[in-house]
Amino acid sequence: DNAKKNEKYGTNVEKVVETILKVDKTKNPKASYKVGYDSYFASFLSIMPQEVINIILKIGLKLKIK
């Protein structure tokens, strides 16, 4: 069930493949790359204060429960 949801809402496989092929052609690749909205959101959260992250998570959980 969860796999089906991830397939529908997860990062597009073609986007991942495009990124891998692009990195493969790069002379000096970076240690990591962002692919998909969730990775950009995670990067954004990593610079936020913990209190803000807790508020965002609390709101997200309330929305998911409804």
Side-chain angles (χ1 to χ4, degrees):
D1 207 30
N2 198 29
K4 292 284 186 192
K5 260 195 266 185
N6 287 337
E7 181 181 354
K8 186 175 180 181
Y9 298 110
T11 301
N12 186 311
V13 174
E14 285 83 17
K15 199 83 157 142
V16 175
V17 172
E18 285 175 23
T19 303
I20 292 170
L21 292 173
K22 182 178 168 185
V23 171
D24 187 48
K25 294 176 185 176
T26 304
K27 186 176 180 179
N28 297 311
K30 299 185 284 184
S32 65
Y33 291 82
K34 293 181 197 70
V35 181
Y37 297 113
D38 55 341
S39 64
Y40 287 97
F41 185 66
S43 291
F44 171 72
L45 283 181
S46 71
I47 62 171
M48 301 300 293
Q50 188 62 48
E51 287 182 25
V52 174
I53 294 170
N54 292 344
I55 292 168
I56 291 170
L57 290 174
K58 187 183 272 188
I59 292 169
L61 287 172
K62 284 182 182 178
L63 292 175
K64 191 171 185 174
I65 291 171
K66 289 182 182 181

